[in-house]
Amino acid sequence: MPPNTTATTGDKPGKSGRKKGRRARLIVLVLVLAIVGGVAYGAYWSISTVRASFPQTKGSLTLKGLSGPVTVKRDGNGIPQVYASSDQDLFMAQGYVQAQDRFYEMDVRRHMTSGRLSEMFGKGQVKNDEFLRTLGWDRVAKQEYDTKLSDSTKKYLQAYSEGVNAYLQGKDGKDISLEYAALGFVNDYKPEQWTPVDSISWLKAMAWDLRGNMQDEIDRALMTSRLDAQQIKDLYPDYPYSRNKTIVQEGQYNEISRAFEQSGSTSGSTSTSGTSAGTGDTSSSSTPGSALTSQLAGLYNVLDDVPTAVGVNGQGIGSNSWVVGGKYTITGKPLLANDPHLSASLPSVWYQMGLHCTTVSSKCQYDVTGYTFAGMPGVVIGHNADIAWGMTNSGVDVTDLYLEKVSGDGYQYDGGTKPFTTRTETIKVAGGASKKIVVRQTADGMPLLSDRDDELVQVGKKASVANAAPDRGDGYGVALKWTALEPGTTMDAVFALDKASDWTGFRAAAAQFDVPSQNLIYADTKNHIGYTLPGKIPTRSSADDGSVPAPGWDSKYRWTGYIKQDELPYEYDPERGYIVTANQAVVDKKYPYTLTTDWGYGTRSQRITDLIESKIKDGGKISTDDMRQMQLDNSSEIAKLLVPKLLKIDLDDKDVREAQKLLEGWDYTQDSDSAAAAYFNSVWRNILKLAFGNKLPKELRVKGQCLWVERADSTGPVDDDTKVRECGERAADQAQPDGGDRWFEVVRNLMDKPDSDWWKTPAGAGDRPKADNMDQLFQRAMIDARWELTAKLGKDIDTWSWGRLHRLFLKNQTLGTDGPAVVKYVLNRGPWKLSGGEATVNATGWNAAGGYGVVWVPSMRMVVNLADLDKSKWINLTGASGHAFSAHYTDQTGKWAAGELLPWSFSDKAVDKSTGDTLVLKP
C-alpha cells in the first residue's frame, strides 16, 4: 500500500506576501475562465481554488514510511533545507518536498523522456514521442536500474519515489497544479505514480542537450551542397592554442602523452585532438561526401522539435566555472564559481535545496547543499562540509551519425547484410486514437532515426558519396551512436559526489559519471583545488574523426573502445594557483586521443583567465564579491577586434555617421543601457549576414528569410532568369551564423584577407551598395545596422539601448509556449532587459542569424567560500516554486538579472537564522 500523508496542523501561505501584479493575474484568470467556460466554471475557478495547490510549509504532516521525524526549513525565498536521521528518510522527504513545489514540471519531464507527451497534450506531440521512443531513454534507464546501479542507490531512488507518491496520495490534478486544472478542460489526464526509472531518465535528457558535436556534424554535411571543402574549413577554423589556453596545463595527460610518444602507439585513434574543427575529407574514397541535404535537414527538423530539456537542443550550450586557490584569495582558502549556461525555462531547470543528516554516520551519511533537478534525488552541483564542485560541458564527441544502406532484409555491413532488431511502440494520444510505430536498431544498438521523419525516407537521394559506397537505391538510412544509449552509473556518481570528503573520494565518484561528460572542478576546506574529466568517451580508428556522418557499411568506422579512466586528463593543485573551465579545449595537441574536433574557441575562458591574472598580479587577492563581479563581466571580445576598424570606415550618410560616433570611446562593455552596444551588435549581426549567412544553404538559414539565388542547373550568365527564390528552413534561435566565438575566429582569420570572396556581396535593396572587399562590406553593415535599429528602436539614437533589443522572456515550457493566449499571460513572465551577450562571461546568448532576443542564460550562479561556507552565495534564474502564483515563482529573477547573489546558509546556526517557515514530517 503506498504511503500517504495526513495534515495535522499548519496553514497555507497567506495574502500578506502577495504582490498586486500576482493578484491582478489571478483576477484576470478567473474573469476570463468565467467568460470562456460560463458562470459555472467561473464560480469553480475562484482565487482560493487556484491557491489550493500551494504547498503546506508550516506545522506538521504525517508521512507514512518514515522511520523518524524530518524537519523542512524554508528561507525567505522558499528554498528548503531538509533534516533527517537516516538516508532513506532524507531522500523520501526530498521527493515529497520537490513534488510539493514542482510536480507538474516533474511529470512533464518524465513524459518527455519516455516519449509519452501525447498522453498529456494530444496529437501535436506525436512526432516528438515517435522520436523519443526511437531513442528509448526510459528503456536504457530501466536497464541501468536493473543491472548497473548499486543497491544503496536503488534504495535512495525508491525512497525518493515513495516521498513523491506520498504527496500525490488522495490528490486530484487541481490540487497539485494550476496546469492540471487547465488540462482538465481538454482531456481526462490524471497523474500516475512516480518510479525510480522516472528519476534516472532525466539524466538522459541532460545528456542529450550536452551531447557534443552532433549539430556541427549535421551542419558541415549540409554545407557541402553550397560550399566547397576549403570554404567549410574557413568556417570551422583551428582552435587558437597560442592565444586561448587549455583547461589542463600541468596535469596527468602530459605523462600519458610522453608514454605514447615513447611507445609510438596510437591506441586505436590518431591524435587530432582539437587540431581543427574538422570538416572531414569529402573527396576521400571511403568518406560520405556532399549534399546530404534531404537526409540531414530532415534529421535537424526532428531534433529541433524535441522539447528543450536543459539547453537549446545542443546548440550554444556553454558554462563557466573556475576555482582560485587559497594563496590568491582574501580568505586564504579556495573560492569556487559556477554558472551553467542553458536555455531559459520557467520554472528554472535547477532546484535549490540542502540535505542534512542530523548526525552524520553510517546510518545517515549526507550533509550537502546545492542545485539539483526536480524529479531527481541528491545534489548535482554544490558543496558539503568538506568539498565543493562545479560543472561545465566538456564538449567531447560522444555521438556519431552513420549512413546505413537499408534493404528489405536489414542493412549492409562489410559486404554482407545484417538484420535490424525491431520493437513495436504504442503511442497513446489524449483525445485521439493510439498510434503504433516500429523502431529499428542495428546489431550494435544504434536506432535508425531516419524512420521518424518524412524527409528522411528519402535518405541519400540527394547525397553525393564516394565511388566505393553501395548503390543508394531508395536512399541511405541515418543511425545514431551515442554513449548515453548504453546503461551507465551516473546516478551512483551523484550520491558519491555528495558525500565525498577529499580529492581521492571526489575522483572516485567522478569516475562513475558516465554521461554527459563534464568538466568537473574541485576545491576543499584543506586548501586544495583540482579538475577532472570523467565520462565514457569513445576511441575511433584513424579513418574517422567523428566530424562528419560516417559510412555504416564499413566496420573500420565503428568505435574501437573507450578511453580508460586513468588516461583521462586531470589536474591537482597546479602551480599557477587557479583552474578555469569555460568549454575551451581541455588539452593541447599532444594528447594521444581525439576528444573532439569541435571545442569551444576559448573566448570566455581566456577572458576569465585575464580577469584572474589582473587581480592577483603584484600580490593582489580575490574576494567572494570579486568572483561575482567576474561572472557579470560584459566585455565583448569581438568588439575589441572590430571597433577600431569600424571607426576608420568613411561614411557619407550623416545619420550613419551619427551611429558610428557611438563607438568612439566605448569601453566594449555590453550593459543593458548602452546605445553603443546596441549599435555594435547590430553591425556584427549584419557583417555575419552579408559575409556568410546569405551564402549558406537554406537548411541553415532562418525560416522565412528568403533570397534570390542562382539555380543549380543554370549554366548561362547570372541574371533574373537564372535565379530562384529560396527561403530558409531553420528556427530563428538555431540558425547560422549564430554569432558565437567560432564566428569570432572565422572573422579574425579573414581580416588578414581583405579581398577574400567572403567579403563580397551584391547590392541590396534601395541604395545599399555592393561590396568587393572587407572595408566595403563593413561599410554596408554599418549602413544596414543604422536603419535596422531605426526601425526597431526609433531614429533618435539617444533612445537606443542594448536592453531594449536584448530581452529575456520566461515561458512555461508547455502551456506557456503552445497554450491559448490567456493561459500564456497567466503562466509566463517578463520581459527583462539584460546586459551581456554571446561568448561573453555574462553569457546571455542570442542568435545573430535570428535576432537579438535572449535564447540561453546563466541558469544559476554560485560562489562557494571554502573558508566559511555560510559566506557562500547563490542565485537561481526563477524561484523555488513551479506554482504560477506562488510568491516564489520568479522571486529570484529580478536579483538574478541585476547580478545579485543571495546568502547561502549551510550550518545549523545559519539555516535557523534564515528560516521563515518550518514543516515537520512525522512517521
Side-chain angles (χ1 to χ4, degrees), residues 69-102:
V70 176
T71 303
V72 182
K73 301 177 181 181
R74 293 178 183 261
D75 67 10
N77 292 100
I79 299 170
Q81 304 283 341
V82 181
Y83 292 83
S85 56
S86 74
D87 290 340
Q88 286 175 267
D89 283 357
L90 189 66
F91 294 117
M92 185 178 182
Q94 183 181 17
Y96 183 86
V97 169
Q98 286 192 343
Q100 280 187 303
D101 284 334
R102 300 273 194 99

Side-chain angles (χ1 to χ4, degrees), residues 132-208:
L132 291 162
R133 293 285 185 96
T134 300
L135 288 174
W137 291 346
D138 61 330
R139 297 172 63 86
V140 181
K142 188 175 188 310
Q143 291 175 45
E144 288 185 4
Y145 184 79
D146 290 342
T147 65
K148 286 286 188 178
L149 298 180
S150 68
D151 289 340
S152 61
T153 293
K154 291 180 182 180
K155 289 179 182 177
Y156 300 158
L157 287 164
Q158 189 59 48
Y160 180 91
S161 297
E162 290 173 359
V164 175
N165 293 331
Y167 169 75
L168 295 177
Q169 185 72 25
K171 289 184 173 66
D172 294 327
K174 65 181 176 60
D175 301 321
I176 298 171
S177 174
L178 172 63
E179 289 93 334
Y180 286 121
L183 281 176
F185 287 133
V186 294
N187 66 51
D188 58 355
Y189 173 80
K190 297 186 185 305
E192 60 192 36
Q193 295 282 288
W194 192 264
T195 74
V197 173
D198 294 331
S199 295
I200 302 168
S201 295
W202 182 242
L203 290 171
K204 302 303 175 185
M206 182 174 72
W208 177 253

